Amino acid sequence: MITRLPVADRREVRQAAVQLLRGERPALAVVLLMTALSAVSALAGPYLLGKIVGGVEAGTLTLSTVDVLALGVVSAALAHLLLVRYSALLTARLGERFLASLREGAVTRTLALPARVVDRLSTGDLLTRVTSDVGVVGQALRDGVPEVLTGAVHLVVVFVAVFWLDPVLGLVSLAGMPFVVWATHWYLVRAREAYLVESEANGDVAEISAAVGEGSRTIETYGLRDRMVAAADDAIARAFRARMRTLRLRNVLFPATTFLNVVPAVLVLLVGGFFYANDGVRLEVVVTAVLWVWRLVEPMERIMFWIEFLQRAGASFARIEGIGAHGEASPEVREPADDRIEVRGVRYSYVDGHEVLHGVDLVVQQGERLAIVGVSGAGKSTLGRLIAGVDRPSQGSVLVGGAPVADLAAAGEQRIVLVTQEHHVFIGTVRENLAMAAPDAPDEKLLEALQLVGARWFDELPDGLETRLGAGGVELDPAQAQQLALARVEVADPHTLVLDEATSSLDPATARHAERAIAAVRERRTVIAIAHRLQTARDADRIAVVDAGRVVELGSHDDLVARDGTYATLWRSWHG
């Protein structure tokens, strides 16, 4: 049984990163250009200061010349400030676009997961991937990548400038780099696995937290408190150990690189001073080289500061990309010839080797009212989900007009809609809640849908379709939320409704309002009702009786009662 989603390997992560960057190549080129210009502008001030020092030593500078050079230093500083601010603005915008693409991709891959996979997933694992992991990668894209990119460009510009100034001092400035590269490599080969373990441990903590929050009453009822507390302590302990492991890696990396960062400036100062004492180099060259090399410390510290976070982000990125491992590619969809639904030899299993449906065959004609009945666990809801295209059969096919229903659903065509007792109000306006079913629907259609389902509460909203719902807005009660969901179905305008006892969890008064709304939405459409209460099935054109994953009887209510088979037994049991 699958409990966690896989993690993308290094090659897949590199391909995904390249794909992400490829879409912003022009903007990335502009950012690199502006960063290089800002790095070059930072060299002008130290260069002019070196000229001042050299001129003072030689006694060739006049006061007016010093003033001109000092004005040049100030002008270079102002130009550097403007270029840095503009470069930071461009990189921030680029990072936000990267983040938007990442979030859209994560949501798309999550929604593309087959239902049979979602049913077996660890809630905490998936939750941490689409929340904390996306947040970590988002911060890296907004802040980390631009900072490292800027720091790397500054390093290259400074090293090239020092070599141009004096090749010997240029070589000396590189003296600490092999040790920095070694320390960074030592860290990188260990960090990815450590951060993956930490993220997985955090997912376990989120999983048990969600389980305790959702099942607190059950835990108390069955006396499972001590067991759950022990499990929570174990998960927190694993998360703590994983966190300490990554902390130890950072405690080795940061002190080593901080020490090595100052080595180039010290060596340039010592070697430059030696050559100057032996008339091998001018004083202004030594001063300029030291000032330039000292500017390496800030970008190097910036890179080292963010390199740790980028490793954490790399592990999170691998987890996000792993969401798509079980996703399904968008299929080529052919237009259905009609609205006839055919279920042919369908078999289905949530867990390999344990079939829920065994070779089901069923045909539903356009405009028909079909009820699917059976004892609890017979496979009714599973069959309804397959007919609605929520999932694909393990074997066999579910077709509408000759086209696979699941392919149509994956392509976003709302030909068949499943309506359950689970309804959701999205945070946003009434218009946004309704129009997600048909983004181009005019306001008139949205208002007609609300009127059709009897949503009289809408007339009392302060801002009409612009009224915000959910957290921070108007809170709807269960009946109103169900009416909103049914209005959304009406806006989608499917030809078939699959009703999986959409009112069973509501109180009687609320259920009556919801049933009237459902009756309005059912008009003019094919209806497949999964009936847990047999009174619902009595008025259907036909009734399909499901027993142990098979359709064992099919016919009208009167015919099935007259047969005195499985349905008749259920009917007598229902009526005592």
Side-chain angles (χ1 to χ4, degrees), residues 285-299:
V285 173
V286 177
V287 171
T288 302
V290 170
L291 291 176
W292 279 355
V293 173
W294 187 252
R295 298 190 69 88
L296 293 173
V297 174
E298 190 272 334

Side-chain angles (χ1 to χ4, degrees), residues 70 103 123 217 230 246 322 371 381 383 404 421 456 461 463 516 547:
R103 283 175 172 164
T123 302
R217 292 184 179 179
T246 59
S381 294
L383 180 58
Q421 57 188 322
R456 296 186 179 86
L461 295 181
D463 300 314
R516 284 195 291 270
D547 186 26

Side-chain angles (χ1 to χ4, degrees), residues 204-465:
D204 291 341
V205 173
E207 169 74 13
I208 196 166
S209 299
V212 171
E214 295 174 358
S216 56
R217 292 184 179 179
T218 303
I219 292 170
E220 291 294 336
T221 300
Y222 289 97
L224 301 176
R225 181 176 180 179
D226 292 341
R227 184 184 300 179
M228 294 303 295
V229 168
D233 288 344
D234 182 61
I236 293 171
R238 289 198 304 273
F240 175 77
R241 289 194 297 271
R243 182 66 174 168
M244 292 302 296
R245 180 184 174 188
T246 59
L247 181 60
R248 284 193 293 270
L249 293 176
R250 294 193 295 275
N251 285 340
V252 173
L253 175 68
F254 289 157
T257 54
T258 300
F259 172 75
L260 293 172
N261 285 345
V262 301
V263 170
V266 173
L267 291 178
V268 169
L269 184 60
L270 292 175
V271 174
F274 174 79
F275 278 103
Y276 169 72
N278 291 276
D279 298 325
V281 67
R282 300 191 311 275
L283 179 61
E284 65 182 78
V285 173
V286 177
V287 171
T288 302
V290 170
L291 291 176
W292 279 355
V293 173
W294 187 252
R295 298 190 69 88
L296 293 173
V297 174
E298 190 272 334
M300 185 67 74
E301 288 182 345
R302 186 193 315 166
I303 291 174
M304 289 300 105
F305 174 81
W306 283 105
I307 200 75
E308 178 270 336
F309 193 85
L310 290 181
Q311 279 301 295
R312 184 190 301 274
S316 294
F317 193 29
R319 284 166 54 80
I320 294 170
E321 288 300 311
I323 296 175
H326 287 290
E328 298 178 350
S330 298
E332 294 185 5
V333 180
R334 65 176 184 270
E335 186 65 22
D338 52 37
D339 295 333
R340 185 171 183 263
I341 298 172
E342 297 178 81
V343 179
R344 300 175 178 171
V346 163
R347 295 178 178 273
Y348 184 84
S349 58
Y350 290 99
V351 180
D352 293 340
H354 299 276
E355 281 192 346
V356 178
L357 300 178
H358 315 284
V360 174
D361 293 296
L362 187 64
V363 175
V364 183
Q365 301 295 340
Q366 181 176 348
E368 185 178 11
R369 301 289 193 268
L370 174 72
I372 301 176
V373 303
V375 298
S376 179
K380 305 183 300 297
S381 294
T382 300
L383 180 58
R385 287 158 61 92
L386 296 179
I387 292 175
V390 175
D391 205 348
R392 298 177 184 273
S394 304
Q395 295 181 29
S397 59
V398 181
L399 309 174
V400 55
V405 176
D407 287 354
L408 294 170
E413 292 193 25
Q414 298 288 342
R415 307 279 298 190
I416 304 175
V417 169
L418 175 66
V419 180
T420 70
Q421 57 188 322
E422 298 176 1
H423 44 268
H424 189 72
V425 178
F426 295 91
I427 297 176
T429 65
V430 177
R431 175 184 285 108
E432 290 169 341
N433 266 271
L434 295 174
M436 64 176 57
D440 298 327
D443 288 354
E444 293 76 11
K445 185 173 182 178
L446 306 183
L447 295 173
E448 288 175 3
L450 289 168
Q451 184 178 7
L452 179 69
V453 300
R456 296 186 179 86
W457 49 268
F458 174 77
D459 299 330
E460 301 175 4
L461 295 181
D463 300 314
L465 290 174

Side-chain angles (χ1 to χ4, degrees), residues 468-481:
R468 292 193 62 80
L469 303 177
V474 175
E475 297 286 348
L476 301 183
D477 62 36
Q480 293 170 339

Side-chain angles (χ1 to χ4, degrees), residues 59-95:
T60 58
L61 284 183
T62 63
L63 184 60
S64 60
T65 305
V66 172
D67 289 341
V68 170
L69 291 174
L71 181 62
V73 172
V74 174
S75 300
L78 290 175
H80 177 64
L81 176 62
L82 293 175
L83 287 170
V84 167
R85 294 297 299 273
Y86 186 60
S87 175
L89 176 63
L90 292 179
T91 53
R93 289 177 176 174
L94 182 61

Side-chain angles (χ1 to χ4, degrees), residues 373 534 537-538 543 545 553 557 560-561 565-571:
V373 303
L534 294 189
R538 183 171 185 172
I543 301 171
V545 182
E553 292 182 333
H557 169 78
L560 295 180
V561 170
T566 303
Y567 180 79
T569 303
L570 289 173
W571 182 256

